[in-house]
Amino acid sequence: MSRWFSASPASRFGFVLLLLLPIAGHALEAVALAPGVWMIPGVLAEVNDGNRGRVVNIGIIAGAEGAIVIDSGANRLQGEAILAAAQRLAGKPVSLVINTHPHPQNVLGNAAFAAQGIPILASEQTRARMAERCPRCVAAIAEVVGSEAMAGTAIVLPGLTVAATETRSVAGRRLRLLVPGHAHSEGDLAVHDLDSGVLFSGDLVYRGQVPHLAEARIDGWLGALDVLRREPARWLVPGRGAPGTLRDLEPLAEYLVSLRARVAAAYAQGRSLDEALERAALHDFASWEGYASRHARNVQHVYFEIERADLIGARGRQ
Ligand SMILES: [Zn+2]
């Protein structure tokens, strides 16, 4: 049993079962969450040569008419392994892939599914951002994980899009597709499987890891967490870290609220970015993965967000 799993709070829940699937010579882990619902856990780390971009949690739901896969992995090889795992677990072909947002580790496995004619769905904003950025993001991730890991990887845009939150039947399963607007990314989409009560948040929720804010709007993200809180979900599968319940999104909310408050206070006092960096150290979160490498960048991002809003407001008052 992996260290991730034995350390996971998920093991407190009686329904969790770890399965090892031998796929193409590798053992792939899957965690059973509810009847017909699984996740393949990502590694809680930055993308690197060792994990080859396998850093986000992947969801699998078995519908009466086919399987649904939530996020496709960081490259074609990962996409193929996820596709094989989904078919093995669900015992039926995959009917649909959902991309939760346009980050490379969530979408670059699409090619494996497209090769089998499987449709891909995302928010309209995710599709637009992928069209704009993905040609660059393939090269960027290849620089880190190497060209061998990215063999055969090409951009495949979602053919199906949703513009706003809606409930629809997919492969015999009722899914609520939540589109809360610009939050962690421009195109976040969370999937609530109404039949099991499992909510897949994508990167709207991180657990035990400092979140990436590079493309975020911090106010929008806090608003999106309110949207998730209102869902009557039994279980939460975050984009990063162990599964749990909706209560487990609160530490991330506390991080974002504290970050915004500290940076806003420093800005209001006329402090420079360097001074804000000193004043916005959040020691309560220093044990989270990525604090040393990512927190300062998040402070900078929020400082610029606040500054931009202030300058636009000042122009409006003239
Ligand atoms: Zn992301």
Side-chain angles (χ1 to χ4, degrees):
M1 200 171 275
S2 77
R3 203 179 300 158
W4 178 90
F5 184 75
S6 54
S8 160
S11 57
R12 292 203 306 269
F13 302 120
F15 59 79
V16 173
L17 181 71
L18 182 75
L19 309 158
L20 288 172
L21 305 166
I23 289 176
H26 301 284
L28 201 68
E29 290 178 0
V31 178
L33 300 161
V37 186
W38 301 267
M39 69 173 263
I40 298 173
V43 181
L44 208 57
E46 206 68 76
V47 172
N48 60 42
D49 196 20
N51 61 47
R52 298 186 156 200
R54 199 170 60 80
V55 296
V56 298
N57 294 330
I58 304 293
I60 297 165
I61 301 171
E65 296 145 26
I68 301 149
V69 171
I70 300 166
D71 285 328
S72 63
N75 52 57
R76 183 173 180 140
L77 292 171
Q78 276 176 37
E80 286 171 355
I82 292 164
L83 173 56
Q87 286 175 343
R88 176 117 27 121
L89 288 165
K92 51 193 79 176
V94 173
S95 296
L96 181 72
V97 179
I98 298 174
N99 292 150
T100 58
H101 64 292
H103 289 162
Q105 51 274 40
N106 303 85
V107 304
L108 291 183
N110 283 1
F113 296 86
Q116 306 292 321
I118 298 165
I120 301 162
L121 178 144
S123 71
E124 283 181 358
Q125 286 301 321
T126 285
R127 189 184 194 283
R129 292 290 84 72
M130 282 175 69
E132 184 186 309
R133 291 206 199 110
C134 277
R136 282 196 305 280
C137 70
V138 172
I141 202 167
E143 264 178 40
V144 180
V145 303
S147 54
E148 193 192 322
M150 300 302 284
T153 303
I155 315 302
V156 178
L157 299 178
L160 304 169
T161 58
V162 287
T165 295
E166 61 171 80
T167 301
R168 63 164 74 177
S169 181
V170 178
R173 204 93 182 182
R174 287 180 315 131
L175 301 183
R176 192 158 152 77
L177 305 174
L178 299 155
V179 184
H182 192 155
H184 162 73
S185 75
E186 294 95 327
D188 297 297
L189 181 153
V191 181
H192 183 182
D193 174 42
L194 296 174
D195 297 319
S196 66
V198 179
L199 193 160
F200 293 89
S201 68
D203 280 355
L204 288 173
V205 182
Y206 282 61
R207 291 189 68 196
Q209 186 178 47
V210 171
H212 291 81
L213 268 81
E215 285 150 26
R217 282 192 188 157
I218 195 162
D219 291 347
W221 198 334
L222 286 163
L225 294 180
D226 281 339
V227 170
L228 299 185
R229 284 187 185 103
R230 286 198 290 272
E231 284 298 299
R234 289 184 68 198
W235 312 114
L236 169 71
V237 178
R240 319 289 181 111
T245 68
L246 280 176
R247 282 196 303 275
D248 295 309
L249 65 77
E250 298 307 336
L252 171 71
E254 285 165 25
Y255 172 85
L256 295 174
V257 167
S258 304
L259 173 64
R260 183 176 62 178
R262 291 284 189 93
V263 177
Y267 186 84
Q269 291 161 8
R271 307 282 176 188
S272 68
L273 173 59
D274 281 345
E275 289 168 324
L277 284 164
E278 272 173 36
R279 284 158 187 267
L282 295 177
H283 300 295
D284 287 353
F285 303 94
S287 64
W288 282 4
E289 195 284 325
Y291 182 87
S293 60
R294 211 169 301 131
H295 179 66
R297 274 187 270 159
N298 289 345
V299 172
Q300 181 176 328
H301 178 86
V302 174
Y303 188 93
F304 290 145
E305 263 199 278
I306 291 171
E307 185 177 56
R308 209 162 35 241
D310 185 34
L311 295 175
I312 291 168
R315 226 173 284 148
R317 288 191 293 273
Q318 278 169 10

